[in-house]
Amino acid sequence: MTDQPRPQGQLDVQRWLGRCMLRLQQYERLMKTLLAHHELAGPADTLEAQRAANLEKVSDKTLGTLVKSLFESYAVPDGFERELLPEDKVPTDRISMAISYRMTMAPERLAEVRAQIEELVVMRNELVHHFIERFDLWSDLGCEAALHHLEHCYQRIDHHHNELVGWAKTMDEARAHMAAFAETDVFHDMVVNGIAPDGTFDWTHTGIVRVLREASEALSEGGLTRLDRARDWIAAHHPDQTPSKYGCRTWPQVLSESKLFELVYRVGDDGKRVGWFRERLAS
């Protein structure tokens, strides 16, 4: 160690090395944020907790690990698909959602981008672990070579950082469009009622089937539920769930069309037929 002032060349090297390190940290931090937010799936009331858990999960990951994750689920080839809500694991008593944002590319372009970013990881590791082994920072020539190398490194790091900023902005724009769409009646029908924008639906995932199940759970008598009581219960708790919303005129028609319930009639104390229903057992 020496108390002598360091040569200007060495000070310039330190300054540029610091710039490179700061830019790399910004790059890693942005990648962690992107990976924590780009894919969420499950019951709607758990998504915020998932986001926080994802941030915690990636908080201590190395750049190499982050890059591997990036190309597993975010930067992907055209046509990439990934099942986020397996049907056998989706709860039937809660609204579930899957949200994903991806950057898709042709396979050739994707391979090129991946190779460039993996080279960036190698560069980062070299700067962190082997820089002073590579250059003689106690000579003018060594400092000059190191400075030239660092300026080149910074250009590459800055390029990749700006590229990632562009990806993040694209994701933010998509999220903003999604938030605006979430305020529309079409989105409400999709999420709550299971009705697609073209008016089609799968009975299993419709809102009216969901509330029929809720009514049956609340009012069941020995495994059967009176249809008139279920109808009144739904009118009180879910007034927007009506047969007409699903192209039906009556509640018995809903039970029949859905093919998810059995409808039986019994003679009441007043001599009139009373409809009772129960959910069909899975075959």
Side-chain angles (χ1 to χ4, degrees):
M1 298 294 292
T2 177
D3 294 330
Q4 295 298 318
R6 293 183 175 86
Q8 184 61 45
Q10 194 179 83
L11 294 176
D12 289 340
V13 167
Q14 292 173 350
R15 179 168 59 87
W16 274 95
L17 181 59
R19 290 188 68 186
C20 288
M21 291 297 102
L22 289 173
R23 206 57 159 167
L24 280 166
Q25 288 185 23
Q26 290 175 323
Y27 183 74
E28 290 186 27
R29 183 174 181 180
L30 181 58
M31 189 176 292
K32 289 175 181 179
T33 300
L34 187 151
L35 289 173
H37 289 79
H38 86 286
E39 198 172 75
L40 299 168
D45 59 352
T46 70
L47 298 186
E48 281 302 319
Q50 281 188 46
R51 199 174 274 117
N54 288 346
L55 280 169
E56 178 66 24
K57 183 178 179 180
V58 300
S59 64
D60 61 348
K61 295 295 184 288
T62 65
L63 181 58
T65 301
L66 295 174
V67 168
K68 181 180 178 181
S69 297
L70 184 78
F71 287 98
E72 286 177 346
S73 60
Y74 182 77
V76 293
D78 293 332
F80 175 90
E81 292 186 10
R82 174 161 151 148
E83 179 60 68
L84 297 179
L85 284 175
E87 191 166 342
D88 60 339
K89 296 182 180 179
V90 177
T92 59
D93 59 342
R94 302 157 75 186
I95 296 174
S96 294
M97 299 176 63
I99 303 171
S100 64
Y101 305 95
R102 310 195 192 284
M103 182 65 65
T104 61
M105 308 177 198
E108 299 80 8
R109 175 56 182 161
L110 183 65
E112 179 183 347
V113 171
R114 180 167 190 165
Q116 292 172 354
I117 295 179
E118 288 176 345
E119 287 175 5
L120 178 68
V121 176
V122 174
M123 177 197 293
R124 180 262 181 204
N125 293 339
E126 184 270 334
L127 289 175
V128 171
H129 301 293
H130 305 292
F131 181 72
I132 61 175
E133 298 172 7
R134 180 172 177 181
F135 298 98
D136 177 11
L137 302 183
W138 297 100
S139 71
D140 290 341
L141 287 177
C143 287
E144 184 178 343
L147 188 59
H148 178 75
H149 176 71
L150 288 170
E151 290 173 347
H152 174 69
C153 288
Y154 184 83
Q155 290 177 355
R156 292 180 62 186
I157 297 166
D158 191 54
H159 165 76
H160 286 294
H161 178 265
N162 291 337
E163 177 182 58
L164 196 63
V165 167
W167 292 2
K169 285 183 177 179
T170 299
M171 188 175 80
D172 280 343
E173 290 170 1
R175 289 171 64 188
H177 286 304
M178 181 63 187
F181 179 53
E183 300 295 326
T184 66
D185 292 339
V186 173
F187 179 83
H188 184 270
D189 270 344
M190 285 178 58
V191 174
V192 177
N193 300 320
I195 302 175
D198 63 0
T200 61
F201 54 84
D202 176 358
W203 279 108
T204 303
H205 301 105
T206 56
I208 201 166
V209 165
R210 186 180 68 255
V211 298
L212 278 167
R213 287 175 174 144
E214 292 178 11
S216 179
E217 184 176 343
L219 305 172
S220 175
E221 300 177 30
L224 286 169
T225 305
R226 276 187 58 151
L227 182 56
D228 56 351
R229 293 174 182 168
R231 179 194 61 209
D232 293 343
W233 186 92
I234 293 171
H237 294 84
H238 304 282
D240 59 321
Q241 296 297 336
T242 61
S244 61
K245 185 184 289 292
Y246 303 89
C248 296
R249 290 175 297 172
T250 65
W251 284 97
Q253 186 180 359
V254 170
L255 297 174
S256 175
E257 293 285 344
S258 73
K259 296 181 173 57
L260 298 171
F261 301 93
E262 296 177 10
L263 176 63
V264 298
Y265 287 93
R266 294 177 175 177
V267 177
D269 296 336
D270 57 0
K272 297 181 179 180
R273 290 201 316 163
V274 177
W276 295 74
F277 74 96
R278 63 186 170 196
E279 190 168 3
R280 292 184 185 276
L281 296 177
S283 58

